[in-house]
Amino acid sequence: MNQEVRTRFAPSPTGYLHVGGLRTALFAYLFAKHNQGKFVLRIEDTDQARFIEGAIEKLINILNDIGLKYDEGLFIENGKIIGKGEHGPYLQSQRKEIYKEYAEKLVASGNAYYCFCDEKRLEELRKEQEALKQPTRYDRKCRNLSKEDVQTNLNQGLGYVIRQAIPLDGQTIVKDLVYKDIVWENKALDDQVLMKSDGFPTYHLAVVVDDHLMQISHVIRGEEWIPSTPKHILLYKAFDWQAPQFAHLPLLLNKDRSKLSKRQGDVAVEDYLSKGYLKEALINFIALLGWNPKTDQEIFSMQELIEQFDLTKVNKSGSIFDVEKLNWLNNIYIRKLSASELKDLLIPYLISFGLITEDGKKHLAKNGKEVSVEFLEAIAKIESERLSALSEIGERVNYFFEQPKYLPEILIWKKSDLGQTKNALKKTLDFLEKLSDAEFKAAVLENKLKEFISQNGFDNGSVLWPLRVALSGLEKSPNPFEIIETLHLGYGKFEILQRLEAALKMLE
Ligand code: GLU
């Protein structure tokens, strides 16, 4: 079979993109691209009760932001949602006539039937079955209505749905590329609704009709759709169509192996992006949720993923969404950026945390002074080692933008005391005062200060600890040499001396 590989992502517009949805989209994308095929975006919005204003735009934008490029489907151009491709419309609510036509075909061929049972009857039936501890399903009351009875009911204007007439015996086998063969007894399947009374199709009818008409060769989707798949296969049979191949993807789990939920952390892709996870890192991380390349490689570019992705290496068991691993990966991608690139990405966070403001092309620090591009780049460089998400910058670098506030006690190193600390700080202040501007470089400072420490018979900690705290106000921060070089670059020597003087004053 030389059919072109065509996959699709078919989300319902919920108002956000779940990380599990991104994983589905990514795998479908990688599989298509690995096979020189096409990737389609179709929006499944047949559940009118769940309509959310702006949700489709949001979805399209987030796929764009994350860099998943589809070949066909819905796009936004000049602020408008438009369809592109030969198999549209790609919005299910615009395909109602198509579904109606195909539902009628199924009725004509005896694979579906009109059902006039109202909500009240169905509710009573459900209660009865529950009381008897039976599976709740439709009892097929309308399955054998004669043509005439159906016509009479229609003429009377009775409301109806169209149900799938599931074969009463036999088996349906789902051949899944991940889960292998799954056998279903037809008698265990419900005569589910295909067309609702509001004229909209259900997911089951729409997905089959669309995947067929859009010539989808491989349906790649979450494990939760496995129980629906035998019904879909029976529909393909009823239409006399060849079914696509199916690949279901394992569930995403929390660390405690419960189903990934909002309660235990973020699940929306946009939340990760806005916290400052780089899209390359997110893609890399998501690709490894359920796909095992079976090598030691952990860092993958999109191109490498496309080259190596293979459905046979997708696991059946659930995969843990381990935020610590994401943090580790994101830090690796952050460190790959140049100081200038990272600075550009950090500026919006510095602004949103109120550490700097933008004034035309200039940036002003919280202390009112103008800060240079070089200064911001130096901060980016120092922090890149430790950042696992860009938004963390907000809590880390306040001291670069205003004099730090802190409790004087923390100036005293654990093996030192007040007298020693004052003495050490005073001498360090005098020492730094005498250095020339050219000497305010981390490597030079490190040598000079270490020499100064040994000449005075100090311990490293008794000098470097209070020095660092006086500059940063923090018990944990980058080393004092880098801080001094950066502050010097930003504001000159005076700023450094002033901070040491302020510390000494606090110790009085
Ligand atoms: N609209 C379904 C969803 O929201 C798509 C399932 C499928 O891919 O068949 O997940």
Side-chain angles (χ1 to χ4, degrees), residues 8 10-12 42 44 203 207 211 219-221 224-225 232:
R8 51 38 166 206
S12 304
R42 175 177 77 228
E44 305 206 326
Y203 157 70
V207 78
D211 284 339
V219 168
I220 299 175
R221 62 186 172 200
E224 66 273 26
W225 299 105
H232 299 173

Side-chain angles (χ1 to χ4, degrees), residues 307-326:
E307 278 156 24
Q308 297 184 37
F309 186 78
D310 179 353
L311 278 174
T312 64
K313 291 180 185 156
V314 173
N315 306 322
K316 279 193 234 176
S317 55
S319 26
I320 308 256
F321 190 93
D322 179 359
V323 178
E324 277 155 41
K325 177 153 188 199
L326 173 60

Side-chain angles (χ1 to χ4, degrees), residues 11 44 120 192 236 334 485 492:
E44 305 206 326
K120 191 166 154 262
Q192 72 199 317
Y236 282 101
I334 287 175
E485 175 177 334

Side-chain angles (χ1 to χ4, degrees), residues 151-366:
Q151 202 47 56
T152 314
N153 286 345
L154 289 176
N155 292 346
Q156 283 177 7
L158 287 189
Y160 67 89
V161 299
I162 294 179
R163 290 184 181 271
Q164 184 173 1
I166 299 273
L168 301 175
D169 48 28
Q171 293 179 328
T172 299
I173 302 173
V174 177
K175 294 187 184 301
D176 192 277
L177 294 170
V178 174
Y179 288 82
K180 307 298 171 224
D181 289 6
I182 312 172
V183 180
W184 299 83
E185 296 296 333
N186 292 338
K187 60 175 182 285
L189 305 175
D190 194 9
D191 278 6
Q192 72 199 317
V193 175
L194 298 176
M195 285 297 272
K196 294 179 277 189
S197 53
D198 63 1
F200 275 90
T202 58
Y203 157 70
H204 303 287
L205 176 67
V207 78
V208 166
V209 168
D210 289 351
D211 284 339
H212 174 74
L213 295 180
M214 295 181 186
Q215 296 175 13
I216 299 304
S217 64
H218 293 77
V219 168
I220 299 175
R221 62 186 172 200
E223 180 192 67
E224 66 273 26
W225 299 105
I226 289 180
S228 301
T229 310
K231 305 176 193 173
H232 299 173
I233 289 181
L234 288 169
L235 283 176
Y236 282 101
K237 257 200 202 144
F239 282 122
D240 203 13
W241 293 338
Q242 192 194 336
Q245 301 210 56
F246 293 95
H248 288 89
L249 308 176
L251 275 184
L252 299 188
L253 307 174
N254 292 304
K255 261 195 152 168
D256 61 5
R257 302 200 69 82
S258 59
K259 196 172 159 200
L260 190 67
S261 69
K262 268 191 187 165
R263 260 180 302 121
Q264 303 203 28
D266 288 324
V267 292
V269 174
E270 39 274 56
D271 290 342
Y272 285 95
L273 289 175
S274 66
K275 277 188 183 170
Y277 289 91
L278 306 184
K279 61 180 184 211
E280 295 81 2
L282 263 176
I283 292 284
N284 192 152
F285 173 71
I286 299 275
L288 297 172
L289 294 176
W291 172 67
N292 183 348
K294 309 228 159 101
T295 63
D296 291 337
Q297 185 174 351
E298 286 191 283
I299 309 299
F300 293 88
S301 66
M302 189 68 107
Q303 199 46 45
E304 288 171 312
L305 290 172
I306 290 173
E307 278 156 24
Q308 297 184 37
F309 186 78
D310 179 353
L311 278 174
T312 64
K313 291 180 185 156
V314 173
N315 306 322
K316 279 193 234 176
S317 55
S319 26
I320 308 256
F321 190 93
D322 179 359
V323 178
E324 277 155 41
K325 177 153 188 199
L326 173 60
N327 286 339
W328 170 77
L329 265 172
N330 201 40
N331 175 258
I332 291 183
Y333 280 88
I334 287 175
R335 282 189 279 140
K336 284 188 188 188
L337 298 171
S338 70
S340 166
E341 289 167 327
L342 180 55
K343 167 219 49 172
D344 288 343
L345 294 177
L346 288 175
I347 284 177
Y349 292 96
L350 294 175
I351 293 175
S352 77
F353 282 96
L355 300 182
I356 59 173
T357 49
E358 210 155 27
D359 179 7
K361 281 202 160 163
K362 290 188 289 188
H363 287 109
L364 303 179
K366 219 172 169 183

Side-chain angles (χ1 to χ4, degrees), residues 443-507:
V444 180
L445 284 165
E446 182 162 2
N447 282 331
K448 296 244 164 201
L449 272 166
K450 288 200 169 147
E451 223 174 83
F452 155 81
I453 288 170
S454 72
Q455 275 168 8
N456 284 278
F458 289 133
D459 281 328
N460 274 341
S462 64
V463 172
L464 299 181
W465 176 274
L467 172 60
R468 210 173 45 67
V469 174
L471 297 169
S472 67
L474 298 173
E475 292 183 86
K476 277 194 191 128
S477 71
N479 71 57
F481 320 114
E482 284 183 328
I483 299 179
I484 296 178
E485 175 177 334
T486 308
L487 284 172
H488 180 266
L489 180 68
Y491 309 108
K493 182 165 151 182
F494 181 69
E495 176 76 22
I496 295 153
L497 303 179
Q498 214 182 25
R499 291 190 184 197
L500 296 194
E501 274 161 11
L504 275 166
K505 213 179 257 159
M506 283 167 71
L507 291 174

